[in-house]
Structures are given as C-alpha cells and as structure tokens.
Amino acid sequence: MTTLPEWTDLRFFLELARSGTLSGTSRRLSVEHTTVARRIDRLEEQLGATLFDRSREGYQLTEMGLALLPHAEAMESAVTAAQDELSGAQISVRGIVRLGVPEILGSRVIAPALVDLLQAHPDLSVDLLLLPRFANLANREADLGVMLDPPSTGRYMVTRLASFRMYIYGAPSYLAKHPPIKEHADLIKHDFVDYVQDRLASSGLNYMGELGFTPHRRMCCTSLAAQCEAAALGLGLIVAPPYAVPDDGRLVRVLEKNFYAERSFCLVAPTDLYRLQRVRVVWNLLRDVAEKNPALFIVPE
C-alpha cells in the first residue's frame, strides 16, 4: 500500500458492510450503485486486499474486511464528532440511524412515534428494520436495537426499556365454539397459535412453557403479526403482549387474573455509536415512548 485510503472510500466501505448490497448503499449515500462498486474496487486496490465476497445474494465481509471494520468505524465516530462540534450540531440532528426492533413492536408502537421526531428534525432519517429476530449489533446490522437478551461480550450501552406481560387472548368466535375457560386447567383442551419452536429469536420467547403443559399448536409462525391474525380468525388461542393485540375487539383476554408471562425489553447500542447525537435522539425517543405508554406493555389491573 503506497497511499492511505480516503475517508470517503472508507465511508462507502462501512455502508456496504452494513447494508450488504450495492443498491442499499447507493440509496443511503444518494449515489449510483456503479459509484459504490467503483469506490470499493479502488479501496481494495489501495489496500491490496479483498474486503468483500461477492455473490448473487450480496456482499459479505471477508476476514480482511472484518479486520478493517472497527478501524473504519472509529474514523467515522471521530469525523462525525468533529462535524458536530464545528457546525453546532447540538441544535441540528442529521444523518441516518438504523434501528432494529421486533416486527410488531416496530410497526404498531415505534413507527408512529418516529413521525413527530422526523418532522422535528428534517435532516434526520431512520431505517427501521422490522425483524422476526433481534438485530445483530456485532456486525453493525443496526446502530441500536430493542431485544430481550443484551450482548454478553463487546462494548455496548444497555438500558432496560420496558417490562411487558404476555396474556392469553382468543377470538370471540373461537371462544363461542370451544369449551369454556374458567381456570388454568381448562387451557389444556384448547388449540394455540405460537412461534415456530426451532426458529425462536430468543429462549425468552418460549413463554408457553410456563403454561405447565405442552399446548396443542395448530399453527406456528415466525411472525407475531401473523399469529395475531390467525388467532383473530378463530384458529386458536394466543399468548401475546398488549401492544400486539388489535384494538378492534377481534381478540379478547381470557383468564385475566390467572396467567401471564413477564419479560423485559432492553435497548442496546454499541458504545461508539451511542456517542453520536443522531443515535442518542432515537434512543431517548424510545425510552420516552415506553415511559409514557405503560399500558402498551402491561394491562392495568
């Protein structure tokens, strides 16, 4: 290597590492995808190393790419901090924040809350990743994420976002056609809609294990939204948090005082990204939403 790589080339490298595709990177950087490919080729030539494995599915970091990643991220943090300080960015929040959240929490709770934030900060953009699993922050799939299990290794900022309870719900049409549910033991006679057991994003999602028996699962799905729709159409009972349940009366709570499973969401961001003002603005919004809307997570008794 005879010359140092330019920061702009490293920025293209970072965005491609995060998005995994030329099209995704070009959208985030507002350039043509050919420009992205050209910058990456130039960077690899300068470094004398192959940074990405190319395939039809996209771009994956090689061992050399993984080695370069933390250094490029450190440069990004330093450049952003300098820009913020020199431009008075304490007032203006700008840039893209990639937020990874569980699918139905993101669509029903977080997406509506983001509207006011984005209107207040016209130079801020959010990529909301609605996932059937939890975002992988180790490979920078997202800048921050909501998850059940905080990372056990690495440098992260972690805070408890909200405790939530999973209650039993059923469609009135289902309940009218099946044996009455008056006590916990009656549940063994009923059908359930649940997660696909060998595709659980976390062992914490195995809350049906707290029923005390093996439920008769009529349908399993990796999507909680799909589970709610199937249960609302009368396929079986569902165990779900309040924010996931439609407020149109298609699902009603059963055994109101006799069963719930409790879990806690945590909010996580890599320490270096948490220092960025745009990330902290989104972080603070999520905490504010959880604090001001407790009934979304636990039904008041």
Side-chain angles (χ1 to χ4, degrees), residues 60-71:
Q60 296 291 327
L61 286 170
T62 63
E63 185 175 348
M64 293 300 294
L66 288 169
L68 176 62
L69 184 62
H71 302 289

Side-chain angles (χ1 to χ4, degrees), residues 113-219:
L114 286 172
V115 173
D116 286 342
L117 178 73
L118 294 174
Q119 289 176 341
H121 299 285
D123 295 325
L124 177 68
S125 297
V126 173
D127 285 352
L128 185 61
L129 307 182
L130 303 181
L131 304 169
R133 53 179 175 78
F134 297 108
N136 188 334
L137 300 185
N139 69 5
R140 299 304 172 102
E141 181 180 34
D143 300 322
L144 70 164
V146 175
M147 56 190 63
L148 287 179
D149 307 308
S152 57
T153 60
R155 300 183 63 188
Y156 295 94
M157 291 294 295
V158 181
T159 187
R160 189 186 69 83
L161 183 64
S163 293
F164 63 96
R165 291 177 179 176
M166 318 290 288
Y167 304 99
I168 300 177
Y169 296 88
S173 59
Y174 172 89
L175 296 173
K177 297 177 182 177
H178 292 80
I181 304 173
K182 296 181 179 180
E183 55 186 27
H184 186 273
D186 294 331
L187 294 172
I188 200 169
K189 307 171 186 176
H190 288 266
D191 299 328
F192 282 84
V193 180
D194 194 12
Y195 284 103
V196 178
Q197 295 302 289
D198 63 354
R199 292 292 186 271
L200 291 175
S202 165
S203 60
L205 294 177
N206 186 26
Y207 38 77
M208 284 202 186
E210 298 177 29
L211 290 172
F213 60 89
T214 301
H216 181 224
R217 296 178 172 94
R218 289 296 311 281
M219 175 181 171

Side-chain angles (χ1 to χ4, degrees), residues 16-291:
L16 184 56
R18 291 165 181 167
S19 71
T21 65
L22 294 177
S23 59
T25 303
S26 65
R27 183 182 69 83
R28 287 170 64 87
L29 296 178
S30 300
V31 298
E32 295 294 329
H33 73 276
T34 53
T35 301
V36 178
R38 187 169 62 252
R39 291 294 193 108
I40 296 301
D41 289 343
R42 183 171 73 178
L43 180 61
E44 290 183 327
E45 183 178 352
Q46 286 182 321
L47 295 176
T50 300
L51 302 175
F52 293 94
D53 286 326
R54 282 82 163 166
S55 70
R56 298 178 66 178
E57 287 73 34
Y59 282 61
Q60 296 291 327
L61 286 170
T62 63
E63 185 175 348
M64 293 300 294
L66 288 169
L68 176 62
L69 184 62
H71 302 289
E73 289 171 341
M75 291 181 66
E76 178 187 46
S77 296
V79 169
T80 302
Q83 289 176 333
D84 287 351
E85 184 172 346
L86 294 174
S87 65
Q90 291 81 1
I91 299 174
S92 176
V93 179
R94 65 185 182 278
I96 299 174
V97 175
R98 178 164 284 199
L99 171 60
V101 298
E103 175 194 21
I104 202 163
L105 177 70
S107 60
R108 293 192 175 165
V109 178
I110 296 175
L114 286 172
V115 173
D116 286 342
L117 178 73
L118 294 174
Q119 289 176 341
H121 299 285
D123 295 325
L124 177 68
S125 297
V126 173
D127 285 352
L128 185 61
L129 307 182
L130 303 181
L131 304 169
R133 53 179 175 78
F134 297 108
N136 188 334
L137 300 185
N139 69 5
R140 299 304 172 102
E141 181 180 34
D143 300 322
L144 70 164
V146 175
M147 56 190 63
L148 287 179
D149 307 308
S152 57
T153 60
R155 300 183 63 188
Y156 295 94
M157 291 294 295
V158 181
T159 187
R160 189 186 69 83
L161 183 64
S163 293
F164 63 96
R165 291 177 179 176
M166 318 290 288
Y167 304 99
I168 300 177
Y169 296 88
S173 59
Y174 172 89
L175 296 173
K177 297 177 182 177
H178 292 80
I181 304 173
K182 296 181 179 180
E183 55 186 27
H184 186 273
D186 294 331
L187 294 172
I188 200 169
K189 307 171 186 176
H190 288 266
D191 299 328
F192 282 84
V193 180
D194 194 12
Y195 284 103
V196 178
Q197 295 302 289
D198 63 354
R199 292 292 186 271
L200 291 175
S202 165
S203 60
L205 294 177
N206 186 26
Y207 38 77
M208 284 202 186
E210 298 177 29
L211 290 172
F213 60 89
T214 301
H216 181 224
R217 296 178 172 94
R218 289 296 311 281
M219 175 181 171
C220 292
C221 182
T222 56
S223 164
L224 180 56
Q227 293 174 40
C228 287
E229 285 303 309
L233 291 172
L235 185 61
L237 303 176
I238 187 173
V239 181
Y243 64 78
V245 178
D247 58 2
D248 53 11
R250 293 189 298 151
L251 287 172
V252 297
R253 189 175 161 198
V254 300
L255 286 182
E256 294 191 1
K257 297 185 179 299
N258 292 343
F259 177 82
Y260 63 81
E262 187 163 339
R263 302 289 188 270
S264 291
F265 279 133
C266 58
L267 183 57
V268 185
T271 302
D272 60 323
L273 295 183
Y274 177 78
R275 297 191 187 106
L276 303 179
Q277 187 180 16
R278 63 178 182 267
V279 173
R280 291 198 307 274
V281 164
V282 177
W283 174 286
N284 291 336
L285 171 74
L286 298 183
R287 296 195 66 183
D288 189 57
V289 168
E291 182 178 340

